[in-house]
């Protein structure tokens, strides 16, 4: 039941919120450094941009490490970097494959909505007065398709986090000899 999951859910929501704020600050700091380096000389970006992308790809393990283990934010950060750089290729592959799956799902749920919007726009602009509105039934149909589109987008975002969770389990077994069940 939900009462069993509620304490863990609210604890994880708080952890994700705190981590999100810290990650946002970290991204802004990285962008600031990149802008400063670009102002000094654009040639420094040839080395720093790929290094920064590799750093943030390895840092993508931070969410599962922080949520699954009962350690502090700083320790989870350093462990995520250690596990992330140790299994960097696997993280890239998981995020690439899960990104393709998410894109396909988003394409499937967005196509009917965009077709409905296109037809609505076509009829509005092809009318003589230019002010004809579609029927209430059609507007309701478009609304339902929009809700399904947004639901499918949110559902597709889960794939990357789920893939990173499996990658975390693999990295823990490979690097720390910890079996994750």
């Amino acid at each position: 039941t939900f009462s069993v999951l509620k304490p863990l859910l609210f604890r994880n929501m708080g952890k994700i919120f705190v981590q999100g704020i810290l990650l946002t600050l970290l991204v802004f700091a990285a962008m600031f450094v990149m802008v400063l380096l670009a102002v000094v000389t654009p040639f420094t970006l040839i080395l720093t941009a790929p290094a920064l992308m590799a750093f943030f790809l390895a840092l993508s393990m931070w969410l599962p490490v922080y949520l699954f283990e009962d350690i502090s934010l700083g320790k989870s950060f350093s462990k995520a970097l250690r596990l992330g750089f140790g299994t960097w290729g696997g993280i890239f592959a998981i995020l690439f494959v899960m990104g393709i799956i998410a894109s396909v799902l988003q394409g499937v749920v967005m196509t009917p909505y965009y077709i409905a919007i296109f037809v609505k726009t076509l009829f509005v602009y092809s009318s003589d007065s230019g002010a004809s509105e579609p029927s209430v039934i059609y507007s309701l149909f478009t609304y339902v398709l929009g809700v399904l589109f947004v639901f499918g987008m949110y559902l597709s975002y889960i794939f990357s986090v789920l893939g990173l969770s499996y990658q975390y389990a693999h990295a823990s077994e490979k690097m720390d000899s910890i079996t994750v069940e």
Side-chain angles (χ1 to χ4, degrees), residues 148-167:
L148 289 174
F149 170 43
V150 171
F151 177 72
M153 279 183 36
Y154 285 132
L155 186 67
S156 69
Y157 295 147
I158 294 172
F159 288 117
S160 296
V161 176
L162 186 65
L164 285 174
S165 298
Y166 280 108
Q167 183 63 23

Side-chain angles (χ1 to χ4, degrees), residues 12 19 36 51 53 55 67 78 113 116 126 128 134 141 146 155 159:
N12 283 345
Q19 184 190 27
L36 284 178
M53 289 181 357
F55 171 77
L67 290 182
S78 61
Y113 175 70
S126 67
D128 291 333
F141 175 70
L155 186 67
F159 288 117

Side-chain angles (χ1 to χ4, degrees), residues 2-129:
F2 185 68
S3 62
V4 175
L5 297 174
K6 191 164 55 169
L8 184 63
L9 179 68
F10 286 126
R11 181 183 70 96
N12 283 345
M13 284 173 47
K15 288 176 106 175
I16 289 173
F17 180 73
V18 169
Q19 184 190 27
I21 290 173
L22 191 60
L23 188 60
T24 302
L25 292 174
L26 189 64
V27 167
F28 280 134
M31 287 175 23
F32 181 72
V33 168
M34 293 292 285
V35 167
L36 284 178
L37 288 174
V39 168
V40 172
T41 176
F43 294 116
T44 60
L45 296 178
I46 293 172
L47 295 176
T48 56
L52 198 61
M53 289 181 357
F55 171 77
F56 278 108
L57 189 68
L59 191 62
S60 65
M61 291 290 284
W62 194 15
L63 181 67
V65 168
Y66 188 50
L67 290 182
F68 292 145
E69 295 189 17
D70 196 22
I71 57 177
S72 69
L73 194 62
K75 288 182 181 178
S76 67
F77 180 81
S78 61
K79 184 170 184 176
L81 287 178
R82 185 175 56 80
L83 293 177
F85 280 117
T87 59
W88 193 87
I91 293 172
F92 181 79
I94 287 285
L95 288 178
F96 184 75
V97 169
M98 291 301 175
I100 290 173
I101 292 171
S103 296
V104 168
L105 179 64
Q106 286 177 4
V108 166
V109 296
M110 90 175 174
T111 302
Y113 175 70
Y114 282 140
I115 289 173
I117 293 295
F118 175 73
V119 168
K120 177 182 173 182
T121 306
L122 186 67
F123 282 129
V124 167
Y125 285 123
S126 67
S127 69
D128 291 333
S129 64

